[in-house]
Structure formats: structure tokens, C-alpha cells
Amino acid sequence: MTEDKKVDRKCKRFAARLKSKGISCSNMPGPNLVLCNVGQATGLVKDDILNLCNYLPAIKLRKFIAEKGESYSFLVFDTKESASVFFNEYNGKNCFNNGTFLYMCYVDSVPDTEVLCPYSNPEGLLLVEDFINIDEEKAFVDLFNFKETNSSLKNRQVKHFGYEFRYGSNDVDLNSPLPDKIPKECDILWTRLKSYGIDLDPPDQLTVNKYMPGQGIPSHVDKHSPFGPTILSLSLGSSVVMDWKHHSGKSLPIIIPARSMLVMQGEARYDWQHGIQPRTWDPIIEYTLQGNQRVKVITSDTTNRQTRISLTFRWTRSGKCDCPYKTLCDASNSTEELDDAVASNLEELHVHQVYERIAEHFSSTRHSTWPRVLQFLRQVPSGAVLLDLGAGNGKNLLHRTDILQIAGERSSGLLNECKSYVGEVGTVDCVRLDLLQAGLKDSCADFIICIAVIHHFSTQSRRVQAVATIARLLRPGGRALITVWAKDQTRSNYLCREKDKEVQSNSTVEVAGLTLPVHENRTQFQHKDLLVPWKLRGMKENKLADKPECTLLRYYHVFEEGELDELCELSSLLVESSFYEEGNWCVVCKKI
Amino acid sequence: MKLITHNMLTSKCLKGVVTGYPLAINATDVKISEVDFNPEFISRIIPKLDWEVLWKAAESIGHSEGLPQTIDPKFEDNEEFLRKAHKVLLEVEVEEGYLTCPESGRQFPISKGIPNMLLTEAEVQ
């Protein structure tokens, strides 16, 4: 068999394999080629391919497409002649001096996985590349690199200077400054910023984040009221793609290179959210011209992240924020400052009354126990007393007759559902109670579960009180599982893909003298305190009606990472594990 | 409401109330429902209860017959006792009636077997 025939046969075999992936190879020369055996998964470097093209000066490569995790890649040439020059030169040849023979076929079409990003950077955002040089970067890394940390954040390591950033409330306690101020080595930064027209007094708060590849930070806006109009972020060690989102629906990725300084002011500071996806790689972002406009192209090609240290400098302030950007402003739609009676009224209208009305319909949609709840309940030993606080329809109660289970619930409608659901289990009993004043004896429980309840309390002090009740009812050594809805829904099935791209609705409702945003179901949360619509459907002969009767609004405070842990710590509960499951933050804690 | 649950209820969240325990029971309807006997469970749960409160609660609704006022140290081995305790703890249920706070006299209704321990904003400490 001649060499040509061998190569031919090999290509045919590759073509058959690619066919199963939906890639149809063709015998007819055209401008597109598939490289059958080199791709991202084989450790391909784009530059190697570009070099091959450069040896053939007459040809022009328009596009190179390497999809994540695939062992093949695509080349798009300007003409079929260019493609055939490349094909004839390299097919079946040892091209990379590493023993890899390159095999290729013509293809009719190539995947169109590139995403054009039509939006320009947020107003008020200034990214100064090479703000510091390599020596300065090294000095900063040596100064701030830390090996151990006392932080409880699961996703990354942090350290604070000036004031400790409190993750539960996303602010600082101005009454307890830290002994460690911002190191004087940072002073060169403010001086240098002046040459970019940014003239600022030195900041008084610094948070150092160390991100290992794979770690990220959920999309957020730095809380308005506790911090001033400028936020600075200096990046060390690795470039990263930061995703920016505006509530109008605009979103764009921005490459933040190592040694760059990011200055956030105006809209960028107040009206956009930014975050970093938890992954070990980032897409390569290129530019293309559309008319006269330079447009970002998010390619399917990727680059690996390295360890990145970011220094976030903030200026603390006191009082309510007075910015003109209301959507993300904690001063304009937070329930934090509510008087307790107003908060209680808000919960009466938008939690308790709603649950009474939707009890039957709600109960018909709640059957299965979440896996981690089941896991927690199964390890409860025989003879134990378990309280399910905010038991709802009792779906989490186990049909176990060797433990005492008391279902505490505020809604009588749900409690009736619960009573009939667990009726035949002789060791279950139901009590109507409120978590803030639960009429149960101190230390009466060996175990407590409180599933999807605490997010219905509308102020921090009420949430603290709710967790304090759990601590009061547990006996020393007793354990609780607490879960709440997370603000970050990107890792759950809650988001509907199509909806996320739609423009977010900006509807609001006046409640108890404050304006609360109404959430668009199945989209990422834009706010921490909000109303979530429930489309109520009636029940007839155990069947749901086809059409909703009306829409009711339930109040939620959705939790940031670490916020629930902090509530537990405030009640001296020892957090044993803390995790994210299906859109919820969960902790298992122990009464010491 | 089972008497095992009553053993844990308190009105101490009421303004001005110190212990709020035990709550007095007034029952207008008591039902007995059969529950599978699990001697191991009963033996393990008894040390967690206030026995005197349980006995008085049982007596107040007329179901203390044969139930000792104090627990024998070796109660685990006494099946007859465990069966009686089982009945009082799990099978006797107050369907309708009310509970009364021993300090303030505040009443908590029991309806369809469920005690309502909710308080109004004004009643709370």
C-alpha cells in the first residue's frame, strides 16, 4: 500500500468517527478543513497552527475554531485554493516535530460557536493595562501572598486591611477597625493614578482575594452605602475574564490582565454587577470590525488560568447611599432599615397570607426531599427528638417510627396538609408556631431542620432572631441543617436559558412604604430583597386547574455566599459544613 | 396534640412570663389512635421528658390510670410500663380544647389536633 493510500484510509476512519459527532466530511475541496486529531484536548496551541500557515505565504486563514474538550479543530480559509494548498502540504505529515501526524478532511460547514458581543464597556470603567511593572507585581505578590487563612469562604482565600469586610451584610463595622492598615507599599498606586486623571485620597479598606484556577466570585455590585464612589482592583499573577452585567440585559466579558488596574466609578461602580466564573479556563476574546465598530468576539478557544491575587481598595463611608442609580442601591430598595413592626407587616402580607392562600397548590408542587436533607435526616439516631421548623406540608418528615418528629409551621393551611400527610406515622406531631417566638422548651431538640424558611424574614435582626431560636431549641451538642435560597442561581436548574437573555423586567411594587422589585421567575436574581410571583392555580378533585386564577407575591431575602454561616456564628452555632445545593446555601451547624 | 408534644410546649415567649411551663390542658375531645409499639424508642425518649409534667397532663385529661407517678430506675426492662407510657405519649391525642399559660392565663386553642402557639406582636417580649 502506498503512503498516500494509508493516509487516505486513516482520514476516512477519522471522518467516520467525526460523523458520530455530527461533523460531515466531504471529498469536495472547499475553504473549510477539519483537523481530525488535534484540538484543545490534545494540547494544541493555536500559534502552532498559525505557524504552519505562515510557511505558506500565499494562503490566508480566516478563522481557527477549537472547541473546549474536543480532540479536533477547524480551519476556515479565504478560498478553497488556500485550503487545498494547506491540505496538500500537511495532510498525513509530521508537522509539529513531536511525532504527531496531522490528518485532515474538508468539511461543508464549521460550528458557529463564536459569540459577538455588541456592548461597549460600562460607563465609568477604566482599565489601565500594565499599571505596574513585573518587578512591582512580584513585590506585591510577596507582600500579600498568604498560605493559611482564617476565612470561611469556600471558594477563595481572603484577607482584609483597614476594616474587615463582613460577608453576611457586605459591609464593614466602622467601630472596629483592624490593627493592620493598608500597607504603605500601596501608596505608589494613588500617586500613579493621578497621571491617569484619577485624583483620590488614599483608601482605608483593602480586601485581598486569592483565586486558584477554578475559583470565582458570584456576580455582585459592591454594596452602595458602606463604600464610596470609587472601587479599585489591582490584578496580580494571572489574567482573568470578568463578566459584567447590567439590569437592562446588557452583558459583556472583559479581560482583566495581570498587572492591570481597574477603576470603577459611575455606572460601573453603581449600576453594573461583576463576577468571575468558577472555572479553570477563560475564553479567548478577539476583536472584529463590524462597519466601523470594533466588536468583541468570544471565541471557542480558551486559555488556562493561573493563580490570581486581586487587591480591592475601597473607601468606607457611613449613612445611606445617595447615588442616582436606584436599581442596585441598597438605600432605595433594601428592607434592612425597616422598623420591626413594618417588617412584620410586610411578612404578614407577603409571606404568611400568601402561604395560606396558596397552601393547597403549593403543597401539590412539593413532594420530594432534597438529597442533602434526606442525608441529614437519615443519620438521626433512633430515639432522637427532631424539630422541622417551617415544615410546610411535611414533605421532609421521614416515615420513621424510631424518632420523635415535631413539625412546626406558621401556616394553618400547610399544617393541615402536613397533618394529613404524616397522619399515619405515630411519632409525628404538628404545632402551629412562629419561628421568632416558638413556644417550645429550651434545649428540647437533638436535631432541627429549617428548610427554605429564613429567607422569608425581611430584616437582618429578624433573621438573626430566627437562627437564635434554632440555637435556643437545640440541646448542647445538637445539630441543625438550615437552608436558604441563594442569590446566585447560576449553578442550579432554576434559570431558564432563553429567559436569561431577555431584558429583565423592572417592575416594582410599593409595600409597607418601600419599593420592592418584582422578580422575573427563572432568571438570575438582581436584588437581595424582592417579591417572587406565584401564579395561583385552583385545585379541583385533586387536579390543578389549567389556568392561574391570580398572581401572588412572596417576599424573599436571597442570601449571598457566607451570609448564612455568619448568622449561625452570631448565635454561637458552630458551622460544621457549608455548601451550595441546587440554588440554596446550606449549613450543618452544632450547638456548642 | 400528643402528650409527648405537650411536654415540650411553653408560653415563655409571652411578655412578662418567666417559664410558662407546664401549660394546663383543657380537653373537650380526646381521641385514642393506635400506634405501633416500639419499646426501644419509648425507653430512649423517656429520659428526655419531664415525667412529672407528663403524669399530671395525663391525669388532667383522665388517662393516667396505671401510670406510675415516678419512674422506676430499671424502667427499660418493664414492658408493661413501657406499653402504658407508649399509650400516654403517642396514642392519646387532644383533638379539641385549649392550653393555658400558668402565669398569664393566656389560652392557646387546640383545633383538629393542632395546638396554635402563635402570639400577636403586642404579646411578645
Side-chain angles (χ1 to χ4, degrees):
Chain A
M1 193 156 45
T2 67
E3 193 59 30
D4 276 1
K5 270 197 174 156
K6 263 192 201 164
V7 171
D8 200 37
R9 187 183 268 194
K10 204 119 195 204
C11 286
K12 279 200 171 122
R13 232 176 281 152
F14 274 118
R17 217 177 294 163
L18 288 171
K19 199 170 178 186
S20 68
K21 296 226 173 199
I23 300 159
S24 50
C25 297
S26 157
N27 293 323
M28 292 289 290
N32 308 324
L33 287 173
V34 56
L35 306 179
C36 306
N37 59 330
V38 292
Q40 274 206 29
T42 69
L44 160 89
V45 179
K46 187 177 181 180
D47 288 347
D48 296 337
I49 301 295
L50 294 181
N51 277 336
L52 293 182
C53 293
N54 289 340
Y55 291 131
L56 307 169
I59 67 169
K60 195 176 164 203
L61 182 68
R62 277 228 172 114
K63 223 193 257 180
F64 169 75
I65 303 164
E67 290 176 287
K68 181 145 189 68
E70 298 297 357
S71 57
Y72 52 83
S73 52
F74 298 90
L75 303 179
V76 178
F77 291 94
D78 56 340
T79 59
K80 73 174 181 190
E81 286 73 26
S82 289
S84 69
V85 168
F86 188 93
F87 185 95
N88 294 331
E89 184 70 25
Y90 296 120
N91 190 26
K93 303 284 163 52
N94 180 359
C95 297
F96 304 111
N97 303 320
N98 64 355
T100 304
F101 286 74
L102 188 55
Y103 295 99
M104 61 191 88
C105 299
Y106 291 102
V107 281
D108 295 332
S109 60
V110 298
D112 183 18
T113 51
E114 291 184 347
V115 180
L116 283 182
C117 177
Y119 304 114
S120 44
N121 284 3
E123 180 276 320
L125 190 79
L126 175 66
L127 178 65
V128 186
E129 299 196 9
D130 296 309
F131 187 77
I132 55 171
N133 63 37
I134 288 178
D135 294 336
E136 289 165 333
E137 180 187 35
K138 188 176 179 307
F140 276 121
V141 169
D142 290 345
L143 184 61
F144 291 112
N145 199 1
F146 39 88
K147 290 205 170 61
E148 42 193 300
T149 170
N150 51 3
S151 129
S152 60
L153 288 181
K154 273 273 149 61
N155 284 340
R156 54 185 199 276
Q157 296 184 321
V158 295
K159 200 170 178 181
H160 308 284
F161 296 85
Y163 295 91
E164 176 163 6
F165 185 86
R166 297 187 290 190
Y167 285 93
S169 45
N170 296 310
D171 60 5
V172 295
D173 181 358
L174 291 174
N175 295 319
S176 16
L178 293 169
D180 289 340
K181 303 298 165 207
I182 297 179
K184 61 180 183 337
E185 286 86 341
C186 298
D187 288 346
I188 56 162
L189 303 173
W190 340 130
T191 322
R192 197 166 297 171
L193 273 170
K194 289 194 175 53
S195 60
Y196 294 92
I198 310 271
D199 192 354
L200 297 163
D201 291 333
D204 60 351
Q205 198 273 333
L206 162 62
T207 297
V208 182
N209 281 282
K210 184 176 175 182
Y211 297 89
M212 306 303 284
Q215 297 178 327
I217 183 168
S219 192
H220 67 281
V221 66
D222 288 82
K223 196 170 180 181
H224 289 194
S225 296
F227 304 110
T230 304
I231 309 266
L232 302 176
S233 169
L234 183 72
S235 295
L236 312 170
S238 173
S239 112
V240 76
V241 168
M242 191 179 274
D243 292 309
W244 286 75
K245 280 196 307 193
H246 190 257
H247 48 83
S248 62
K250 284 187 238 174
S251 67
L252 74 155
I254 297 178
I255 300 172
I256 311 293
R259 300 189 303 283
S260 69
M261 175 66 95
L262 188 68
V263 183
M264 292 170 256
Q265 297 179 317
E267 274 192 28
R269 154 73 180 99
Y270 289 119
D271 218 21
W272 286 73
Q273 292 180 297
H274 55 278
I276 296 170
Q277 299 206 31
R279 59 189 177 200
T280 56
W281 52 274
D282 279 310
I284 289 179
I285 294 172
E286 293 173 347
Y287 287 91
T288 183
L289 276 180
Q290 276 200 339
N292 292 327
Q293 257 204 309
R294 239 162 71 97
V295 176
K296 272 185 186 167
V297 183
I298 306 156
T299 71
S300 51
D301 202 3
T302 63
T303 171
N304 287 332
R305 281 186 195 163
Q306 313 296 321
T307 299
R308 173 175 174 266
I309 294 174
S310 84
L311 312 184
T312 305
F313 297 97
R314 304 183 182 92
W315 283 257
T316 64
R317 63 186 290 285
S318 58
K320 281 191 173 186
C321 177
D322 50 8
C323 78
Y325 306 97
K326 295 302 173 205
T327 307
L328 298 176
C329 188
D330 57 289
S332 68
N333 52 31
S334 160
T335 56
E336 228 34 76
E337 309 290 324
L338 287 188
D339 180 76
D340 204 55
V342 178
S344 159
N345 185 37
L346 168 66
E347 291 161 22
E348 175 61 29
L349 290 172
H350 285 281
V351 180
H352 309 320
Q353 289 187 9
V354 175
Y355 275 111
E356 289 297 4
R357 279 198 66 187
I358 70 175
E360 209 181 359
H361 178 199
F362 178 83
S363 182
S364 75
T365 65
R366 297 293 187 280
H367 308 292
S368 53
T369 306
W370 292 332
R372 295 296 281 263
V373 178
L374 205 56
Q375 189 188 334
F376 181 83
L377 290 177
R378 285 204 173 125
Q379 46 93 38
V380 171
S382 177
V385 176
L386 171 90
L387 304 181
D388 183 356
L389 299 175
N393 66 353
K395 70 154 184 175
N396 288 320
L397 295 167
L398 294 185
H399 283 231
R400 271 179 74 168
T401 57
D402 63 333
I403 57 174
L404 173 67
Q405 301 178 85
I406 295 181
E409 167 58 49
R410 201 185 194 289
S411 156
S412 72
L414 287 173
L415 208 48
N416 288 337
E417 298 281 336
C418 180
K419 182 105 180 152
S420 58
Y421 172 68
V422 298
E424 67 272 31
V425 189
T427 54
V428 174
D429 210 5
C430 299
V431 178
R432 189 166 182 209
L433 53 76
D434 188 303
L435 193 48
L436 298 187
Q437 316 94 35
L440 289 162
K441 268 173 78 176
D442 295 2
S443 306
C444 67
D446 299 304
F447 294 89
I448 291 178
I449 57 171
C450 182
I451 308 302
V453 176
I454 294 178
H455 50 219
H456 284 312
F457 290 103
S458 56
T459 65
Q460 172 77 358
S461 71
R462 292 168 73 82
R463 292 186 287 273
V464 169
Q465 205 186 328
V467 175
T469 300
I470 294 174
R472 174 177 77 79
L473 297 179
L474 277 178
R475 67 159 166 84
R479 284 193 171 81
L481 169 68
I482 309 173
T483 78
V484 289
W485 213 0
K487 180 161 187 287
D488 174 24
Q489 288 296 321
T490 53
R491 285 177 276 161
S492 78
N493 291 325
Y494 176 72
L495 297 183
C496 169
R497 277 173 181 274
E498 291 76 49
K499 269 199 181 169
D500 209 26
K501 291 187 181 132
E502 283 173 19
V503 175
Q504 304 284 337
S505 83
N506 280 324
S507 77
T508 55
V509 167
E510 295 281 332
V511 196
L514 80 161
T515 310
L516 280 178
V518 178
H519 179 60
E520 170 80 24
N521 284 353
R522 303 277 158 197
T523 65
Q524 176 71 287
F525 291 115
Q526 308 291 318
H527 307 271
K528 289 199 68 177
D529 295 293
L530 49 110
L531 297 167
V532 176
W534 178 276
K535 293 194 176 102
L536 179 63
R537 290 196 281 166
M539 300 279 285
K540 227 179 193 177
E541 289 147 6
N542 284 328
K543 271 192 182 159
L544 273 182
D546 294 335
K547 282 186 187 148
E549 287 169 14
C550 60
T551 299
L552 297 165
L553 299 171
R554 274 182 301 165
Y555 167 82
Y556 279 89
H557 170 87
V558 286
F559 277 63
E560 302 280 6
E561 179 176 11
E563 196 178 339
L564 180 58
D565 307 51
E566 185 162 298
L567 284 182
C568 293
E569 282 151 21
L570 286 172
S571 287
S572 300
L573 290 169
L574 176 72
V575 175
E576 291 190 317
S577 66
S578 165
F579 51 95
Y580 180 94
E581 185 181 49
E582 272 305 309
N584 296 285
W585 290 114
C586 317
V587 297
V588 173
C589 55
K590 181 174 163 183
K591 181 166 174 180
I592 308 160
Chain B
M1 182 197 69
K2 297 174 193 291
L3 294 188
I4 196 172
T5 305
H6 168 263
N7 212 268
M8 299 179 188
L9 295 179
T10 156
S11 55
K12 68 175 253 171
C13 296
L14 280 168
K15 202 186 284 180
V17 169
V18 184
T19 50
Y21 186 81
L23 301 172
I25 307 176
N26 280 77
T28 53
D29 180 18
V30 176
K31 89 173 182 197
I32 311 290
S33 48
E34 200 176 312
V35 174
D36 290 342
F37 176 52
N38 181 342
E40 198 185 335
F41 169 71
I42 298 296
S43 311
R44 288 188 179 183
I45 209 82
I46 281 175
K48 298 182 179 181
L49 302 174
D50 186 323
W51 187 261
E52 193 188 339
V53 168
L54 179 78
W55 189 86
K56 282 186 178 157
E59 196 206 21
S60 73
I61 57 169
H63 283 274
S64 63
E65 199 190 316
L67 195 70
Q69 254 182 291
T70 52
I71 316 171
D72 189 44
K74 283 190 168 182
F75 69 89
E76 297 98 328
D77 305 328
N78 184 346
E79 193 187 314
E80 194 195 340
F81 163 74
L82 291 177
R83 280 193 182 277
K84 276 187 182 128
H86 163 80
K87 182 178 177 188
V88 168
L89 287 170
L90 300 176
E91 296 190 333
V92 174
E93 289 199 59
V94 180
E95 281 292 287
E96 301 290 330
Y98 56 89
L99 300 167
T100 307
C101 166
E103 292 167 51
S104 67
R106 161 73 146 92
Q107 295 183 347
F108 299 92
I110 304 168
S111 166
K112 294 177 189 158
I114 301 172
N116 181 351
M117 303 304 292
L118 293 186
L119 305 172
T120 64
E121 212 73 26
E123 289 178 301
V124 182
Q125 308 266 14

